[in-house]
Amino acid sequence: MYRQASRLLFRALGGGRPVGRAFSTNAPAVPVEDSAFVEAWKKVAPNLDPPKTPLSFMKPRPPTPSSIPSKLTVNFVLPYQSEISNKEVDMVIVPATTGQMGVLPGHVATIAELKPGILSVHDGNEATKYFVSSGFAFIHANSITDIVAVEAVPVDHIDPSLVQKGLADFTQKLSSATTDLEKAEAQIGVDVHSALNAALTG
Amino acid sequence: MAMTALRREGRRFLLSPIPPNPSTAARSTMLSESTAYEMRWFLIVSLGDDLISGEVPKSNIHRKNHGRSRRSFVFVCSFFVNAGDLSLLGIRSISTQVVRNRMKSVKNIQKITKAMKMVAASKLRAVQLRTENSRGLWQPFTALLGDTPSVDVKKNVIVTITSDKGLCGGINSTSVKISKSLYKLTSGPEKETKYVLLGEKGKVQMVRDSKNSIEMTITEVQKNPVNYTQVSVLADDILKNVEYDALRIIFNKFHSVVSFIPTISTILSPEVVERESESGGKLGDLDSYEIEGGETKAEVLQNLAEFQFSCVLYNAVLENACSELGARMSAMDSSSRNAGEMLDRLTLTYNRTRQASITTELIEIISGASALTG
């Protein structure tokens, strides 16, 4: 969280460079179809309708505004559910592999790889915490944050005794592992369980 | 006169050739046994696939059957009395046995297809929920990396998702047609396109003509309910065995129970992503994103590409499963309806035959009696 402090401080103090923010436009959103693809398709298979592409199923994202917005829009998706979609919040703390990272509106565009840890969403005075297995977080320049994770549980659903047991199990497996694969699996287990442990206590 | 029974591929059952002048048939009932002409039953019935498939694949059309197209639900039955001579079963009176057998089998088919429709509908409800929940999964990736189906790369891999079971209408043929067109689109000098096929039906259709371009086939994906872990293992397998610059996943997106939209999702390998972002264009913004985590940008991009593939594949498999169930529902529904109509026509014919035989008996008795009394 403190790694970005200098950057945030600078922005808070001086309002950034005088020349305006990078790639901020008021241009309209991108077109719904890829015309080059459609034309190439028509040449090859004129009788078939060209298939659709994901672009046509997605709502276009708003362009980067020229001034920093006051709220951050968060999308938090899991394979079996969209946990948070288009919610306006004040701050999000993501467990990146380089440490806990805080995201405020106006954060620079980033692609962050996540490690098992706590994700907390702060809105006003309330904070919702989830324990996520790994994933990715994309922070876009238009203050939209997408977090894609494989599994997430709210922290209060975690059972401490099972965490301890799992940690002990995997530590024991790690010490008795023979092949590289077993070692890697045991190491992952240890990592996740210690992160869980830290999440519960911290 | 001997009965010639021709069997065409087990489906057409032609009992005897049609008499040269069918207009004489009408007089049959009035004459006595020793008449010279005899009318035969002329029954062409097509069972099986004609009833069930809502769409007959074009490749099957060219069969020779007296110039008659297989598409039509041809059911021509003109029943004419065979006065005196041996009919099919060797009994003298008109028999409704054949019609009754036909009616029984059509009714059974109708029951089966109705049951299949119900089963598909109940499965669809469950899968549809999961599909809609998974729809948010691919959106962040498209928001970040854009959608570039027209990207020009050397090694293309086309991943076609089809079903394992049949009787689901035309969705598998559509997917295969689109894959083949995409193959033509992405082929060229120094370019190489390969297929990875998920699902038995796609494999069967592709093996016929593109056997050499198939890299791997995976079947029985739907045996257990699909979950993310299974799909990510599958994705891992594919990525390990196949060299790719761009992966194109073809599936049927579930729009509603009666409409399925063929869709192509494109996933680029990390090297191509780098190349495209340097050259500007749609991915040009990517360079301005900072990378957190990992040692190098390349490593993170590699992980990103793999994660994107597994997420998009998960959504695609679910959507295709939904589409398959929806298509099966409507195919079974139309087949039950067709069976019902066929049953109606058969019932009418049955009644006509029955009444004709009763009339014949009466006439015989009365004419016999009047012959005796003078």
Side-chain angles (χ1 to χ4, degrees), chain A residues 30-49:
Chain A
V30 287
V32 177
E33 239 182 23
D34 190 356
S35 50
F37 178 66
V38 173
E39 277 164 31
W41 182 269
K42 285 212 190 326
K43 270 189 248 150
V44 177
N47 298 327
L48 278 178
D49 275 331

Side-chain angles (χ1 to χ4, degrees), chain A residues 23 52-53 97 109 111 113 140, chain B residues 147 264 289-290 292-293 303:
Chain A
F23 46 84
K52 295 265 187 313
T53 50
T97 39
I111 301 174
E113 204 178 328
H140 301 282
Chain B
D147 189 24
I264 297 186
Y289 279 78
E290 283 216 9
E292 293 275 347
N303 289 342

Side-chain angles (χ1 to χ4, degrees), chain B residues 39-55:
Chain B
M39 298 305 141
R40 300 264 164 217
W41 290 24
F42 179 61
L43 200 68
I44 301 179
V45 187
S46 10
L47 266 185
D49 274 3
D50 276 349
L51 270 180
I52 290 177
S53 69
E55 180 201 30

Side-chain angles (χ1 to χ4, degrees), chain B residues 159-183:
Chain B
V159 181
T160 313
I161 307 187
T162 53
S163 62
D164 282 330
K165 302 201 192 126
L167 299 183
C168 50
I171 53 169
N172 292 326
S173 320
T174 328
S175 292
V176 167
K177 259 188 278 187
I178 292 192
S179 311
K180 291 190 180 158
S181 307
L182 196 62
Y183 184 90

